[in-house]
Amino acid sequence: MKKITIKYITNTISSKELSELKVLLREKKNQDLFKDYIKDYYDIHTLLNKPDIDSAYKKIWDTINEKEQPRQYVLPSWFKYSSAAALIVLTFSFSYFFINNQKPINNLNSFEEVVSPGVDKATLTLEDGSSVVLEKGQHYNTEEVESNGEQIVYNKKGSTSISYNYLTVPRGGKFEVKLADDTQVWLNSESELKYPVTFKKGETRQVVLVYGEAYFDVSPSENHNGATFKVVSNLQEVEVLGTEFNIKAYKDEESVYTTLAEGKVSVRNDVFKEKLNVGEQSVLNEVTGNIKIKTVNVYNETAWRKGIFSFKNKPLKEIMKALSRWYDIDIIIKNKKLEDIRFNGVLSKSMNLEEILEPIKRNINLNYKVYDDKIVLE
């Protein structure tokens, strides 16, 4: 439903897909999904006042009912001023927008054979060192834990002894875990979390983000006799009472980014201790140990959790890192002059990588070659 919705909004939907969408939208549950996705897709990204989502949805719904040819679709009036809806904006001293009158994207067999979007998958490593592969459609159940292949849930009434598990998500994967205290964690591609199978009553609830990116929705401390929750990651410690936040601490990046979505947290290391307010992000430099605080768009920093790439003034180098992790393929920028070109764009993580690279190729004179284990941008 997400992919076909994006194709409609971005004017890349075929006549056949439009017919499929109309059929899907006959069902109330799909109408609700459609509306929710439009809200997620637009509401943070308008550069003017926040749009009236209900009105925008009605306009889109009316257009679907009237629409005969996909290319006749008119975007909502507030949308043309926004950076959303998979418009990739090339930023130099001015911006180029491209959405209409695009040439059809060629279907390259090499892409289909080599590259595919990420899926739900992870490896669970138990206290004794044994491991279990978790994949969508496969179930794993014990007295302590159960998984449906998309999420792993720990039983609050599990073992009383303290043991630790590791959940490792490879490149090209994502996974969710619900800890024994009801804290929920979403793990992005190429990430690893260490955590206790159970928590001792009254003691600090502590987990370790070994590397990668994770979004935490922490169970409030009042539900656990006042016990605080801590996340230890490379060179820093985040302490919370009950909140939602994102930590990005990849091994191939020089900084650790902590973004607060709700509540309050403090970020500390041996030198600094800083408190974050909602909408703020701490940036820890792993070389100097310094922590800087800046205001960010929380949606842009956490959209990955909802299956969306949201790039706001991001250099091509950073975008390609994110794509490499999700599509599990190395992307090498051979022409170093391209690395710092900045883009705005919102894209579904279910899109084919080719659908993302082709518009970039057409607008910055970019060529790329696809190999079995890598893509080279020239």
Side-chain angles (χ1 to χ4, degrees):
M1 191 68 193
K2 281 186 178 181
K3 187 171 183 178
I4 199 168
T5 299
I6 288 175
K7 285 192 171 186
Y8 183 83
I9 296 169
T10 59
N11 202 31
T12 58
I13 193 168
S14 67
S15 297
K16 181 181 178 181
E17 289 168 331
L18 178 61
S19 297
E20 292 175 0
L21 178 60
K22 288 181 177 180
V23 172
L24 288 170
L25 290 176
R26 290 173 185 170
E27 297 185 28
K28 178 65 166 60
K29 65 177 182 179
N30 288 334
Q31 293 175 21
D32 292 339
L33 285 172
F34 187 67
K35 185 173 182 179
D36 288 344
Y37 196 58
I38 288 172
K39 183 179 186 300
D40 284 344
Y41 212 69
Y42 291 144
D43 61 358
I44 303 299
H45 300 277
T46 178
L47 299 181
L48 300 176
N49 294 326
K50 187 172 180 179
D52 183 338
I53 297 301
D54 290 330
S55 297
Y57 172 71
K58 184 178 185 302
K59 287 181 181 179
I60 293 174
W61 179 257
D62 291 343
T63 307
I64 287 177
N65 291 331
E66 297 170 359
K67 189 171 184 176
E68 296 295 333
Q69 296 296 327
R71 290 207 175 268
Q72 299 303 312
Y73 174 53
V74 179
L75 294 171
S77 60
W78 51 264
F79 178 82
K80 62 185 179 180
Y81 299 104
S82 78
S83 60
L87 296 179
I88 303 176
V89 182
L90 174 59
T91 306
F92 294 110
S93 58
F94 51 91
S95 299
Y96 298 89
F97 292 82
F98 46 94
I99 183 167
N100 295 315
N101 302 319
Q102 294 180 1
K103 296 179 181 178
I105 294 174
N106 295 324
N107 294 318
L108 302 179
N109 291 331
S110 55
F111 258 97
E112 295 175 359
E113 294 168 2
V114 175
V115 185
S116 58
V119 296
D120 294 299
K121 60 181 178 180
T123 298
L124 174 66
T125 304
L126 306 176
E127 179 79 6
D128 61 6
S130 61
S131 59
V132 179
V133 176
L134 306 174
E135 293 179 336
K136 189 172 183 177
Q138 296 186 7
H139 292 261
Y140 171 73
N141 297 303
T142 69
E143 291 184 0
E144 296 177 339
V145 63
E146 61 181 47
S147 173
N148 61 1
E150 300 175 37
Q151 180 190 51
I152 187 166
V153 179
Y154 283 81
N155 184 356
K156 292 188 286 291
K157 298 180 180 179
S159 173
T160 56
S161 61
I162 301 300
S163 60
Y164 288 86
N165 283 180
Y166 288 82
L167 190 63
T168 306
V169 179
R171 292 208 313 180
K174 64 183 178 68
F175 219 78
E176 299 176 22
V177 55
K178 187 173 184 179
L179 303 177
D181 68 339
D182 285 332
T183 290
Q184 289 188 281
V185 187
W186 289 260
L187 289 174
N188 206 348
S189 303
E190 201 172 11
S191 303
E192 184 173 88
L193 184 72
K194 176 185 177 182
Y195 52 90
V197 174
T198 58
F199 294 94
K200 286 187 177 179
K201 287 186 177 181
E203 294 188 7
T204 298
R205 299 166 287 154
Q206 182 168 300
V207 302
V208 179
L209 180 60
V210 182
Y211 58 83
E213 184 169 22
Y215 186 95
F216 294 84
D217 184 351
V218 177
S219 179
S221 58
E222 60 255 28
N223 295 344
H224 306 282
N225 299 317
T228 58
F229 190 96
K230 289 185 180 180
V231 181
V232 177
S233 58
N234 193 19
L235 298 179
Q236 73 170 28
E237 178 183 281
V238 177
E239 182 176 351
V240 304
L241 297 176
T243 192
E244 296 187 29
F245 60 99
N246 192 85
I247 300 178
K248 184 167 71 169
Y250 281 108
K251 293 182 287 186
D252 61 351
E253 297 191 9
E254 294 181 353
S255 298
V256 177
Y257 303 87
T258 304
T259 307
L260 183 61
E262 289 184 16
K264 293 182 180 180
V265 301
S266 66
V267 182
R268 64 184 301 170
N269 58 16
D270 293 337
V271 181
F272 293 90
K273 181 177 181 180
E274 299 286 351
K275 290 184 179 180
L276 297 185
N277 296 314
V278 173
E280 290 185 336
Q281 179 184 81
S282 65
V283 182
L284 168 64
N285 186 300
E286 294 187 0
V287 177
T288 65
N290 292 336
I291 297 176
K292 293 184 178 180
I293 308 297
K294 63 180 181 178
T295 301
V296 296
N297 184 315
V298 173
Y299 184 89
N300 288 332
E301 302 298 323
T302 63
W304 64 266
R305 182 172 64 98
K306 295 188 176 183
I308 299 170
F309 290 117
S310 184
F311 303 124
K312 178 70 173 177
N313 197 32
K314 291 290 186 183
L316 188 65
K317 183 177 180 179
E318 286 188 30
I319 292 173
M320 292 305 149
K321 278 186 180 180
L323 297 180
S324 292
R325 294 177 186 128
W326 181 239
Y327 292 95
D328 189 18
I329 189 166
D330 291 332
I331 302 178
I332 300 169
I333 304 178
K334 188 175 180 180
N335 184 351
K336 300 302 179 183
K337 294 180 181 179
L338 302 175
E339 290 185 342
D340 295 326
I341 296 175
R342 294 179 178 269
F343 292 86
N344 297 327
V346 179
L347 303 151
S348 170
K349 295 179 76 172
S350 65
M351 292 174 70
N352 293 327
L353 181 55
E354 182 185 13
E355 293 178 285
I356 297 175
L357 292 181
E358 279 291 325
I360 299 176
K361 173 184 176 180
R362 288 195 296 272
N363 282 267
I364 62 172
N365 194 26
L366 171 72
N367 291 312
Y368 58 82
K369 295 179 181 178
V370 182
Y371 300 90
D372 288 342
D373 61 346
K374 64 185 175 183
I375 296 173
V376 178
L377 310 185
E378 299 177 334

